[in-house]
Amino acid sequence: MAQNETDKFPHILLKDTALTEPYTPISSRGKTFKLPPRNRQEHGQKLLRQFDRLRHEADRVIKEQKAYGIDAGNGIYVQFESEPEFELKFESLEVIRSGIELLAVQTVDEKNLATVFVPEGKLDILTKKVADYLEKDTSKGLPRNRELVESVGEIQRAALEALWTDDRGLFPEADDQEIWWEVWLRSGDDPQGIVEFFKEHAERIGISVSNEVINFPDRTVVAIYGTKAQMSRSVKLLNCIAELRMTKETADFFSAMDAIEQREWMDDLRDRVNPPSGDFPVVCLLDTGVNQAHPLLIDYLDVSDMHAYYPSWNEADHNGHGTEMAGLALYGDLVEVLASTGPVSLTHNLESVKILPPYGQNPPHLYGDITAESIARAEVQNPNQNRVVCLTVSATDDRDRGRPSSWSARIDNLCSGFDDDYQRLIVIAAGNTPADDRHHYPNSNMSDFGIHDPGQSWNAITVGAFTEKGFIDSDEYPGWSVIAPVGDLSPCSSTSMTWQRPWPTKPDIVFEGGNMAINPAAGNADYVDSLQLLSTYFRHNLKPFVTTGDTSAATALATRMAAVLMAHYLDYWPETIRALLVHSAEWTKKMLERFNPQKKRDYENLLRYVGYGVPDLTRALWSAENTVTLIAQDSLQPFEKKGSSYVTRDLNLHQIPWPAEILQELGETVVEMRVTLSYFIESNPARRGWGRKYSYASHGLRFDVKRPLETFDAFRQRINQKARDEEGGRTTESPSDSEWVLGPNLRKHGSIHSDTWRGTAASLAERGYVAVYPVIGWWRESPRHQRWNKRARYSLVVSIRSPETGVELYSAVQNLIRQPVQITIS
């Protein structure tokens, strides 16, 4: 609903609303494994025989390692295999204090495969687990180590393929095939030393090692160029390798369609532009560079704010794409501002870091490192500048299917401030579907082509494209037909429809990305100028404007909106700006018609198709008298140490200044409450099964709202029980939660959670508390990293909306804030 200028009020930033309470300790009991039928003696003896063979192989391998000159860290890689359709209790294979380390877990042909590094002389520790299974019983009369031993079907020395955690179809077939490998090293306490060790010995056997390095907890990632045969030899000799994947290549998004040249429009626009004032933010573009001399850009992009990843590159735009994104990030779609007659007030400036080379493409090295280094260039130049980073480059494929990559995980840690405690707002493109498949819309978007790396990042805002453009001049294009209905997903936009839980639903939001039309002569999808956006052309001396589109254009528009919000609310954290983008988003009528959501599964498909929908700048910026938005920026400590155990610690209960009296007067009137929780996780992307101890996220946060007639103590106890249930894998929903659109099981994925409650005003009047509570992550389960006592920041956004325009919700909340509130906890 549009708001009049006189109806706009700033959002209310709440302070000191959270009551931090000690958490009821959560049981650490795991789930019960389904085990294949076993004969205890036969199975145990079979595994002991396999360990005997391993012992002989280990002696031979370690002897070869020492002959090669490696005298420390010797050992052997061992692969454990489950039976088909049964799980492997892989966590029990690791014995950290003895150096036995779980490296990789994958599923092949319905079998779990776990690869473990066993140091010299430590194989007997695992053998003893089998011997105890044969000879000893637990207090319940069951074989000791039963779940571990009976879940194992085969044990053998691991080959090179056992460390390959990427798409199996990408593994090199020929021994002499040269490719770029992404090598994940067991970094331990000395990442730098491990890299130097690996480089020294890898180069001795002819492997080329790149200079880019990415550090994660337990793992350091480097890129190398070599053959399968060379890698097999390096794995045999160098015991520092944990995983192998293939490096990624960047996509070629770029197109430059002709547009009608109207230089007078540009001059008119320049005369109407008001520059940003005060403490304004910037948009930092990571792209092909920007041609700063364009008349619409020159005043808002200083030469000193132009950089290149390689200093030898010219910072100017060699392709055109970066300049197109600059125009959109600064002005939005130029069609709208050129057609207007009033002043155009800008809220931010630009920065540019060129990350793509002027000729060819970058070698497929570690784009996570390139991204981090490029952002650092801008931050060194202007260290105290508030900025939004816009990344419109992605990998050419979608093979990760939501699983973290080194690139997406590095972006997660850049957002969270893992290395420097400096949080960042990064907006990235979901990636495009192949242009020659877009005539199969929407099937090609939903079933064939998923979101591209690094769009699976948990902390970044991943942007897809929708379209409101549907006009074609039938005289100019006789017989042509528009592909996407107005208000629906753009033909270019990839989705996460093929991803599996527990990975986040992506994209987070969608912005205008243009439309396409069917060429009747060829039957394929083609670009039409009237269905595209208009932006700045990099060869401005030839023409000032060019049409553009796709998910990169949508991402530039999303970045612009984030910068506008940042300029209006200087005290808001990156987590809060991100929350407002999602919180203000709604699904269009056409999106809802496509899925006609009745069940939670329908809503999950909708989320994986277009995220939370299309953000609205007015809703994100302003409250209204009948729509009040309250924001809390707070933190809690998720975990602590008690004795020798690490347990969950804090629960924050926010008392919201609820306009209960007005809501009670509205009685049975249907109102809605929307809650959005935004926080940044720290990543641990080693592919070791993603369970408990090896979880990707450092921690999780959840929210819940007090129910009508529920006492304060009952609310607190229910939150504790929900955390226990989630940790134990039990995710049932209470009928009392049925008024939530998504529900707790669907909204919990990723690191931003948003949901809408719809019910009577009288019922909402009794819901004055919102709880924010932690769930398990690697901060707690891997305490050796010494991050178990860190605090976790979050932003909580709560809106109440009444359909009746005469209701003064905003004024009522303001009056409550001015009154001191006494809170008693029994």
Side-chain angles (χ1 to χ4, degrees):
M1 182 183 298
Q3 295 177 356
N4 296 324
E5 290 294 323
T6 55
D7 293 335
K8 294 178 179 177
F9 303 97
H11 298 322
I12 299 173
L13 183 61
L14 303 175
K15 296 183 179 180
D16 302 324
T17 63
L19 308 172
T20 301
E21 293 211 318
Y23 216 90
T24 302
I26 296 175
S27 167
S28 60
R29 291 176 298 173
K31 62 182 177 181
T32 301
F33 269 73
K34 177 187 175 185
L35 297 170
R38 299 292 193 196
N39 179 293
R40 181 177 183 178
Q41 289 300 317
E42 289 180 2
H43 184 63
Q45 292 298 334
K46 169 190 150 183
L47 296 186
L48 287 178
R49 288 193 297 272
Q50 293 177 354
F51 270 122
D52 284 340
R53 287 197 295 269
L54 272 176
R55 190 174 292 104
H56 293 300
E57 290 188 68
D59 291 342
R60 179 170 50 81
V61 169
I62 292 168
K63 184 177 180 180
E64 187 175 347
Q65 291 167 355
K66 291 181 178 179
Y68 186 70
I70 300 174
D71 297 317
N74 304 98
I76 187 173
Y77 292 99
V78 180
Q79 179 172 285
F80 294 81
E81 181 179 306
S82 75
E83 301 290 352
E85 299 183 0
F86 287 91
E87 292 188 54
L88 186 67
K89 194 170 177 59
F90 53 80
E91 291 185 353
S92 298
L93 294 170
E94 187 168 67
V95 188
I96 288 294
R97 65 181 180 275
S98 298
I100 299 174
E101 183 178 354
L102 178 66
L103 302 180
V105 177
Q106 51 193 313
T107 301
V108 179
D109 297 331
E110 298 185 333
K111 297 179 183 179
N112 281 177
L113 306 179
T115 305
V116 177
F117 174 72
V118 183
E120 180 181 7
K122 302 298 183 181
L123 199 59
D124 286 343
I125 293 174
L126 295 177
T127 306
K128 187 176 185 301
K129 289 179 181 286
V130 180
D132 287 348
Y133 164 79
L134 285 170
E135 300 167 2
K136 299 179 181 180
D137 292 337
T138 66
S139 59
K140 295 181 179 180
L142 297 172
R144 185 174 293 186
N145 304 319
R146 177 173 176 255
E147 287 191 341
L148 168 62
V149 177
E150 293 191 358
S151 72
V152 175
E154 298 289 335
I155 306 171
Q156 58 189 331
R157 181 182 164 202
L160 182 67
E161 290 89 337
L163 296 174
W164 183 262
T165 58
D166 212 329
D167 186 328
R168 307 292 290 187
L170 298 174
F171 189 76
E173 294 183 4
D175 286 345
D176 59 353
Q177 181 182 348
E178 290 186 314
I179 67 168
W180 278 100
W181 305 73
E182 197 174 89
V183 182
W184 293 61
L185 302 173
R186 300 167 48 234
S187 53
D189 296 327
D190 185 16
Q192 182 64 33
I194 289 295
V195 171
E196 292 174 358
F197 168 82
F198 178 78
K199 281 188 174 183
E200 175 189 349
H201 291 282
E203 289 170 357
R204 284 173 57 185
I205 55 179
I207 292 175
S208 175
V209 184
S210 73
N211 292 322
E212 294 94 358
V213 176
I214 303 177
N215 291 307
F216 295 112
D218 296 329
R219 298 290 181 264
T220 297
V221 189
V222 296
I224 66 100
Y225 189 71
T227 66
K228 176 182 173 182
Q230 288 172 321
M231 284 306 303
S232 294
R233 180 162 172 76
S234 69
V235 167
K236 184 176 182 181
L237 295 175
L238 309 179
N239 297 308
C240 53
I241 298 176
E243 292 182 51
L244 297 171
R245 308 180 193 177
M246 180 181 268
T247 55
K248 303 290 177 61
E249 296 179 359
T250 54
D252 206 356
F253 282 117
F254 318 127
S255 63
M257 306 294 292
D258 290 333
I260 299 174
E261 294 189 37
Q262 294 285 346
R263 191 168 296 278
E264 293 83 1
W265 291 358
M266 180 185 69
D267 293 337
D268 174 71
L269 175 58
R270 287 195 72 190
D271 292 339
R272 292 186 286 117
V273 172
N274 296 322
S277 59
D279 189 12
F280 54 83
V282 297
V283 166
C284 180
L285 298 159
L286 307 185
D287 212 294
T288 61
V290 175
N291 276 0
Q292 179 261 357
H294 193 291
L296 290 179
L297 304 177
I298 189 169
D299 294 329
Y300 312 106
L301 174 59
D302 195 272
V303 173
S304 65
D305 292 326
M306 297 177 63
H307 313 277
Y309 175 69
Y310 282 111
S312 60
W313 297 348
N314 188 312
E315 293 89 353
D317 190 354
H318 63 275
N319 175 284
H321 190 261
T323 304
E324 294 167 24
M325 298 306 104
L328 295 175
L330 191 63
Y331 295 97
D333 188 348
L334 283 177
V335 170
E336 300 172 14
V337 292
L338 290 170
S340 68
T341 57
V344 176
S345 297
L346 300 182
T347 59
H348 53 279
N349 276 2
L350 300 175
E351 295 173 335
S352 170
V353 187
K354 188 173 189 171
I355 65 171
L356 293 179
Y359 303 102
Q361 291 190 346
N362 288 328
H365 290 173
L366 301 178
Y367 270 89
D369 182 75
I370 292 174
T371 303
E373 176 63 27
S374 299
I375 293 172
R377 300 280 171 87
E379 291 178 346
V380 168
Q381 177 69 24
N382 295 302
N384 299 316
Q385 178 72 62
N386 287 334
R387 61 175 51 79
V388 187
V389 177
C390 179
L391 176 62
T392 52
V393 175
S394 69
T396 53
D397 61 71
D398 59 349
R399 69 180 189 258
D400 294 301
R401 303 288 178 179
R403 296 180 304 171
S405 69
S406 62
W407 193 358
S408 70
R410 188 70 179 96
I411 287 174
D412 281 338
N413 282 350
L414 286 168
C415 291
S416 67
F418 176 83
D419 297 312
D420 53 15
D421 287 325
Y422 181 76
Q423 288 76 26
R424 299 169 178 85
L425 185 62
I426 301 179
V427 186
I428 57 182
N432 296 333
T433 60
D436 55 3
D437 281 287
R438 296 181 190 173
H439 61 291
H440 294 305
Y441 173 92
N443 292 337
S444 56
N445 307 70
M446 293 194 285
S447 59
D448 297 332
F449 304 103
I451 285 173
H452 298 190
D453 187 24
Q456 69 270 42
S457 165
W458 288 39
N459 293 338
I461 302 168
T462 302
V463 183
F466 92 116
T467 188
E468 290 184 323
K469 297 182 182 292
F471 171 75
I472 295 181
D473 187 331
S474 58
D475 293 333
E476 186 176 358
Y477 295 97
W480 289 56
S481 58
V482 174
I483 293 178
V486 171
D488 207 343
L489 188 74
S490 173
C492 67
S493 194
S494 56
T495 70
S496 64
M497 299 289 285
T498 60
W499 292 5
Q500 300 297 316
R501 297 182 183 182
W503 307 123
T505 54
K506 293 284 182 170
D508 296 300
I509 50 178
V510 290
F511 275 79
E512 179 65 68
N515 207 339
M516 298 183 76
I518 296 294
N519 181 340
N524 64 312
D526 206 347
Y527 290 99
V528 175
D529 284 357
S530 64
L531 300 176
Q532 296 292 288
L533 295 83
L534 193 68
S535 190
T536 43
Y537 186 45
F538 78 125
R539 293 175 178 167
H540 61 90
N541 291 328
L542 299 178
K543 58 178 183 178
F545 307 126
V546 67
T547 55
T548 189
D550 294 351
T551 58
S552 52
T555 304
L557 295 180
T559 308
R560 176 180 178 271
M561 179 170 167
V564 171
L565 292 171
M566 193 175 284
H568 275 79
Y569 293 107
L570 299 177
D571 295 333
Y572 284 7
W573 296 345
E575 297 95 322
T576 309
I577 301 298
R578 175 194 187 216
L580 287 172
L581 285 168
V582 168
H583 194 82
S584 69
E586 292 186 350
W587 295 306
T588 65
K589 181 180 178 181
K590 188 61 65 175
M591 294 169 187
L592 290 168
E593 286 176 353
R594 182 170 294 283
F595 290 94
N596 188 25
Q598 304 294 323
K599 300 177 181 179
K600 292 295 188 276
R601 181 63 182 176
D602 301 328
Y603 279 106
E604 181 172 6
N605 288 334
L606 184 58
L607 283 169
R608 295 190 180 280
Y609 185 67
V610 290
Y612 289 96
V614 186
D616 181 271
L617 181 58
T618 300
R619 279 197 301 269
L621 277 173
W622 307 108
S623 293
E625 192 60 87
N626 68 323
T627 305
V628 59
T629 297
L630 305 128
I631 298 169
Q633 300 182 140
D634 217 316
S635 67
L636 54 76
Q637 183 175 323
F639 314 116
E640 67 177 340
K641 185 177 183 180
K642 284 191 175 181
S644 60
S645 299
Y646 297 87
V647 298
T648 307
R649 173 176 150 158
D650 286 349
L651 158 68
N652 276 7
L653 292 170
H654 290 266
Q655 185 184 33
I656 305 299
W658 224 242
E661 188 173 321
I662 290 180
L663 291 171
Q664 288 166 349
E665 290 174 0
L666 290 172
E668 296 302 305
T669 302
V670 175
V671 295
E672 71 176 38
M673 167 183 61
R674 184 161 182 177
V675 181
T676 301
L677 177 64
S678 172
Y679 58 97
F680 292 154
I681 58 99
E682 293 181 353
S683 70
N684 190 355
R687 291 181 180 172
R688 292 185 285 179
W690 313 116
R692 289 176 61 91
K693 185 176 181 180
Y694 308 108
S695 64
Y696 175 73
S698 52
H699 64 290
L701 297 180
R702 304 288 184 264
F703 74 80
D704 207 337
V705 180
K706 177 182 170 294
R707 296 170 181 165
L709 307 179
E710 188 175 39
T711 66
F712 190 89
D713 283 342
F715 177 42
R716 182 172 49 193
Q717 291 167 10
R718 178 167 62 84
I719 298 305
N720 276 278
Q721 185 61 50
K722 285 188 70 172
R724 292 192 195 96
D725 289 345
E726 181 165 338
E727 182 175 340
R730 299 179 296 275
T731 54
T732 57
E733 290 188 23
S734 165
S736 301
D737 292 321
S738 61
E739 291 164 310
W740 290 98
V741 171
L742 301 180
N745 292 340
L746 184 51
R747 69 183 181 228
K748 71 181 182 181
H749 302 293
S751 62
I752 186 163
H753 315 299
S754 187
D755 204 353
T756 300
W757 177 94
R758 295 192 179 102
T760 67
S763 177
L764 183 60
E766 303 297 325
R767 293 174 170 262
Y769 286 94
V770 179
V772 176
Y773 60 95
V775 294
I776 201 167
W778 65 261
W779 275 357
R780 193 188 98 171
E781 295 301 290
S782 296
R784 65 183 182 279
H785 296 301
Q786 298 297 312
R787 300 181 87 82
W788 52 266
N789 59 349
K790 282 202 66 176
R791 294 191 68 82
R793 301 196 332 177
Y794 64 86
S795 295
L796 180 67
V797 182
V798 181
S799 292
I800 309 171
R801 182 190 300 181
S802 167
E804 298 188 15
T805 56
V807 178
E808 297 182 350
L809 292 175
Y810 189 92
S811 298
V813 171
Q814 283 281 48
N815 290 333
L816 285 171
I817 291 173
R818 296 189 187 105
Q819 301 171 10
V821 179
Q822 175 122 9
I823 301 170
T824 302
I825 302 175
S826 56

